Amino acid sequence: MPENVATANGEAIQAQSLPIVAENLTYLADARKLLDVEYLEITAGGPTVFLGPNGAGKSLFLRLLHGLIQPTSGTIRFRNTQLDPASRRGQAMVFQNPVLLRRSVAANIEYALKVHDVKRAKRRGKVQQLLAQSGLSGQGGQSARTLSGGEQQRLAFVRAMAGDPDILFLDEPTSSLDPQASGEIENMITQATNAGTKIVLVTHDLGLARRTSVEIVFLSEGRVCEKTSCENFFQRPSSPEGRTFLARNQALIGETDD
């Protein structure tokens, strides 16, 4: 688990192996440049949310930062070194559509613990703890793929947390969920943050972004147009692209404030 340090208000929070830094990062497909990021640094603290219109490159950027795909050019540094399989062990990711093993709910979690070298003697207790955190204590023996959509997403989330990651990437984790299930994921985001894990989240849910983030990274056409506090972005975005985006989504913003 990330080492704790004292914050200004006396609360303990992680001294993580951050920042994670992308520099001169590009990604091309069929000669088309889908991502072009000169520099982005993500530091420790509360959640960072990637916002932007469809096709802005948000999910692509997340996959690059997690090392699932390789950039066409540029570098990503994590744990003060170039991102590689060893440093990726400090990361985890949850996708929009959960990827679950054809095993029971409990076995999905136990497998993740085994991958992260948790001793067999400790796994059973840890599995029960994580089942309780996800609200799935009564479903440990059930096939994971028979869970509801919200339950599958909670399982994917808590399984990702099994390795106590320094940073957890979330790609549209609530996009296909009803309000209750979305609220449960939001609570888990808060719990993970309080436990010392840095959350980096892609979402189209502006209400979720406003409630959970401390920082917004706004992308448009594969570029980072601005990186600022949540308050600054929603009240006074500095980029023309950000202002246009908020103006077009003003009705959605209003709905989230009810």
Side-chain angles (χ1 to χ4, degrees):
M1 190 66 148
E3 181 185 358
N4 287 341
V5 295
T7 61
N9 61 7
E11 296 179 354
I13 197 167
Q14 72 274 28
Q16 298 166 304
S17 304
L18 293 173
I20 184 167
V21 176
E23 193 166 13
N24 298 319
L25 197 69
T26 68
Y27 185 83
L28 279 69
D30 298 326
R32 181 185 171 205
K33 188 175 288 187
L34 302 181
L35 201 71
D36 187 1
V37 176
E38 183 176 346
Y39 185 86
L40 180 70
E41 179 176 325
I42 297 174
T43 57
T48 294
V49 173
F50 285 13
L51 290 179
N54 289 333
K58 305 180 297 297
S59 294
L60 173 62
F61 199 1
L62 221 62
R63 284 163 170 74
L64 286 163
L65 290 174
H66 189 40
L68 294 179
I69 55 178
Q70 297 301 309
T72 302
S73 63
T75 59
I76 299 170
R77 297 193 303 278
F78 179 60
R79 290 182 161 173
N80 299 314
T81 187
Q82 187 163 334
L83 185 66
D84 59 19
S87 62
R88 278 190 64 211
R89 287 179 65 84
Q91 301 182 355
M93 186 165 179
V94 175
F95 299 91
Q96 179 177 352
N97 297 311
V99 180
L100 301 175
L101 301 174
R102 293 183 182 273
R103 304 182 185 187
S104 70
V105 172
N108 266 265
I109 298 174
E110 185 171 6
Y111 177 80
L113 293 170
K114 183 179 179 180
V115 167
H116 287 281
D117 301 322
V118 176
K119 301 298 184 184
R120 182 189 295 269
K122 294 183 177 180
R123 283 182 215 155
R124 184 172 182 180
K126 186 69 172 176
V127 167
Q128 295 307 313
Q129 176 189 338
L130 292 171
L131 284 172
Q133 287 179 10
S134 60
L136 297 171
S137 292
Q139 293 155 281
Q142 182 176 337
S143 171
R145 296 189 178 187
T146 65
L147 296 173
S148 70
E151 290 168 341
Q152 287 191 20
Q153 196 65 291
R154 294 195 329 256
L155 173 57
F157 193 113
V158 78
R159 187 184 61 181
M161 289 296 295
D164 293 328
D166 290 331
I167 183 167
L168 175 61
F169 297 109
L170 303 174
D171 188 7
E172 294 280 5
T174 64
S175 65
S176 59
L177 304 183
D178 62 35
Q180 180 178 341
S182 295
E184 291 166 344
I185 294 298
E186 187 172 329
N187 288 337
M188 295 180 77
I189 290 172
T190 300
Q191 292 171 10
T193 299
N194 291 340
T197 295
K198 172 70 180 190
I199 300 293
V200 180
L201 167 69
V202 166
T203 186
H204 284 96
D205 185 338
L206 299 184
L208 176 64
R210 294 187 74 172
R211 290 189 299 272
T212 61
S213 72
V214 299
E215 177 180 64
I216 299 292
V217 175
F218 182 78
L219 291 94
S220 180
E221 297 182 346
R223 298 180 299 107
V224 174
C225 298
E226 59 181 297
K227 174 176 176 281
T228 187
S229 71
C230 177
E231 180 182 6
N232 281 347
F233 180 77
F234 282 102
Q235 291 187 4
R236 44 187 177 274
S238 62
S239 66
E241 296 89 346
R243 291 192 291 272
T244 298
F245 176 80
L246 289 183
R248 288 176 176 172
N249 291 278
Q250 193 62 47
L252 294 176
I253 297 172
E255 289 173 7
T256 63
D257 290 335
D258 288 345

